[in-house]
């Protein structure tokens, strides 16, 4: 049959891989959006002296108690008013995920963005290959859905690519989106002699984050 011939020629392998990538992307989305991003629990409050593990941070910078959930915040934690929790190594609250990106789900968030980018690039290539351009109303009427799909894929690809590149840059510097955007408002950064006291070099920063 035609299906067997396509299988013998390996023509079914690429669609199968694409479908698996889409399924992987969907599973990663639900995993990242539903998992605990690193909420600070009252029973996990850190001791006051733990701030001393980073010698570059002045000793007069004390860990503060959150005014909303009343837990003592670890270093680099922040309260998210949308989630109503303090989040360890808070990066940002993602409206697409309806969840914070923090200490526990940040690496998976990067994997999700990477898989999503591959799916979008692949889908964009398929959509582009199906387009043949003619300057006529008849052509536009028959290809409008494919053209709109390609433009939407292009927009989402640019957004995901920029987000992934910016995230990888911040990870390589061992900083978070919140720390990068609010450096002047964060006490342990504002009073530090170094611009980024957490930076240990690109290789070690990446190794610590992913491994």
């Amino acid at each position: 049959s035609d299906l067997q011939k396509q299988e013998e020629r390996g023509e079914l392998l690429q669609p199968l891989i694409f479908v698996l990538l889409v399924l992987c992307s969907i599973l990663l989305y639900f995993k990242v959006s539903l998992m605990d991003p690193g909420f600070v629990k009252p029973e996990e409050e850190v001791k006051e002296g733990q701030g001393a593990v980073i010698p570059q941070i002045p000793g007069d910078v004390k860990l503060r108690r959150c005014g909303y959930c009343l837990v003592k915040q670890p270093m680099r934690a922040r309260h998210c008013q949308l989630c109503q929790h303090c989040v360890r190594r808070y990066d940002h609250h993602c409206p697409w995920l309806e969840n914070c990106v923090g200490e526990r789900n940040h690496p998976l968030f990067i994997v999700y963005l990477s898989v999503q980018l591959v799916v979008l690039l692949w889908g964009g290539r398929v959509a582009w290959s199906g387009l043949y351009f003619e300057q006529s109303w008849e052509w536009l009427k028959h290809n409008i859905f494919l053209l709109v799909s390609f433009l939407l894929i292009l927009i989402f690809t640019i957004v995901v690519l920029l987000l992934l590149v910016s995230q990888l840059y911040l990870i390589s510097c061992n900083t978070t989106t919140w720390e990068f955007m609010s450096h002047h408002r964060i006490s342990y950064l504002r009073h530090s002699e170094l611009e980024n006291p957490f930076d240990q070099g690109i290789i070690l920063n990446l190794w610590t984050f992913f491994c």
Side-chain angles (χ1 to χ4, degrees):
S1 65
D2 292 338
L3 193 62
Q4 287 178 329
K5 291 178 181 178
Q6 287 180 331
E7 186 179 2
E8 290 172 359
R9 292 196 299 265
E11 294 177 0
L12 296 179
L13 182 61
Q14 288 191 2
L16 179 61
I17 294 174
F18 181 76
V19 170
L20 289 175
L21 282 173
V22 172
L23 290 175
C24 181
S25 175
I26 294 172
L27 290 174
L28 282 169
Y29 172 84
F30 283 109
K31 176 68 175 176
V32 176
S33 63
L34 296 176
M35 73 181 295
D36 179 355
F39 294 136
V40 181
K41 306 296 192 304
E43 63 271 15
E44 296 174 351
E45 288 187 4
V46 294
K47 296 180 180 179
E48 195 78 26
Q50 278 188 327
V53 296
I54 304 175
Q56 297 92 333
I57 295 177
D60 57 347
V61 177
K62 303 294 183 183
L63 300 179
R64 69 185 188 90
R65 190 171 292 278
C66 176
Y68 296 97
C69 50
L70 302 179
V71 298
K72 187 168 289 185
Q73 290 181 334
M75 189 72 70
R76 312 187 78 177
R78 182 177 186 265
H79 183 85
C80 176
Q81 296 192 19
L82 294 173
C83 292
Q84 293 296 309
H85 283 286
C86 287
V87 181
R88 295 178 183 274
R89 202 182 181 277
Y90 175 88
D91 189 85
H92 69 284
H93 182 92
C94 181
W96 294 98
L97 298 171
E98 283 294 329
N99 194 13
C100 284
V101 176
E103 182 179 75
R104 293 190 62 190
N105 64 350
H106 201 170
L108 270 182
F109 177 69
I110 299 300
V111 176
Y112 165 70
L113 288 179
S114 302
V115 174
Q116 191 66 44
L117 182 61
V118 172
V119 170
L120 287 168
L121 289 172
W122 197 330
R125 186 183 69 84
V126 172
W128 178 262
S129 66
L131 287 171
Y132 59 95
F133 294 96
E134 293 180 9
Q135 294 182 351
S136 67
W137 174 251
E138 193 68 23
W139 174 89
L140 184 62
K141 190 166 62 173
H142 286 90
N143 291 273
I144 185 66
F145 177 75
L146 195 58
L147 189 60
V148 170
S149 298
F150 176 76
L151 291 175
L152 286 175
I153 289 173
L154 181 62
I155 292 171
F156 283 118
T157 299
I158 293 173
V159 171
V160 173
L161 179 62
L162 290 176
L163 182 57
L164 180 60
V165 169
S166 64
Q167 284 286 306
L168 289 175
Y169 169 74
L170 293 175
I171 291 167
S172 69
C173 299
N174 198 1
T175 189
T176 63
T177 302
W178 172 58
E179 290 171 342
F180 181 78
M181 301 293 292
S182 307
H183 189 279
H184 61 287
R185 292 191 299 155
I186 301 173
S187 58
Y188 60 81
L189 296 179
R190 189 173 67 246
H191 296 105
S192 175
E193 296 179 359
L194 301 176
E195 184 176 353
N196 179 14
F198 304 106
D199 188 7
Q200 299 175 297
I202 294 177
I203 296 177
L204 192 55
N205 290 340
L206 292 173
W207 177 266
T208 302
F209 181 85
F210 287 107
C211 304

